[in-house]
């Protein structure tokens, strides 16, 4: 496994706006390197039955994951569907493309 593909993990944080007293959602991005692979046919069809559309499988070092709910890979934003510890410090992440959003 080669961790050569840069991805940006995204965590949403809420901060209070002192001027208006409301909450502001900000995205915090963090760059890590991962191994990218495709979704297997069986996983794709099983997820499709459950109403999900997995499109990307990522393997990364488990200690680098901090509970993020989205990521950017190749200028496309993905929502994290599930994570799975494969053992030996490797985490598998399955993602679905975020509806209609591209990032520069």
């Amino acid at each position: 496994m080669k961790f050569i593909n840069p991805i940006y993990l995204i965590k949403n944080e809420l901060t209070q706006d002192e001027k208006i007293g409301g909450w502001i959602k900000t995205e915090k991005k963090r760059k890590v390197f991962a191994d990218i692979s495709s979704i297997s046919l069986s996983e794709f069809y099983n997820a499709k039955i459950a109403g999900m559309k997995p499109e990307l499988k990522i393997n990364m070092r488990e200690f680098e994951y901090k509970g993020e709910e989205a990521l950017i890979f190749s200028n496309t934003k993905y929502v994290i569907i599930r994570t799975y510890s494969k053992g030996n410090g490797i985490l598998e992440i399955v993602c679905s493309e975020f509806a209609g959003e591209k990032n520069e």
Side-chain angles (χ1 to χ4, degrees):
M1 211 171 292
K2 295 182 180 181
F3 301 106
I4 59 173
N5 300 292
I7 64 170
Y8 296 88
L9 295 169
I10 302 170
K11 187 165 199 124
N12 291 316
E13 292 184 357
L14 290 176
T15 53
Q16 193 165 17
D17 186 331
E18 300 292 328
K19 294 179 182 176
I20 63 172
W23 293 91
I24 299 172
K25 182 175 106 173
T26 56
E27 284 188 346
K28 300 288 182 178
K29 296 177 187 172
R30 197 165 50 85
K31 183 178 181 178
V32 297
F33 291 90
D35 180 57
I36 309 298
S37 58
S38 59
I39 301 294
S40 68
L41 281 177
S42 63
E43 185 170 24
F44 176 80
Y45 287 116
N46 287 334
K48 194 86 164 155
I49 291 169
M52 293 184 281
K53 188 180 175 189
E55 297 174 292
L56 185 67
K57 187 185 298 184
I58 294 172
N59 291 299
M60 61 180 282
R61 293 173 187 90
E62 195 164 6
F63 74 89
E64 293 182 308
Y65 182 70
K66 307 288 187 224
E68 290 85 357
E69 51 274 329
L71 61 86
I72 296 172
F73 171 67
S74 190
N75 293 327
T76 302
K77 186 174 183 179
Y78 294 90
V79 176
I80 296 173
I81 296 174
R82 74 166 178 85
T83 61
Y84 171 72
S85 177
K86 295 176 77 172
N88 296 329
I90 304 299
L91 184 73
E92 179 180 278
I93 298 175
V94 176
C95 307
S96 178
E97 189 171 344
F98 194 77
E101 190 166 319
K102 295 283 183 186
N103 287 287
E104 300 299 317

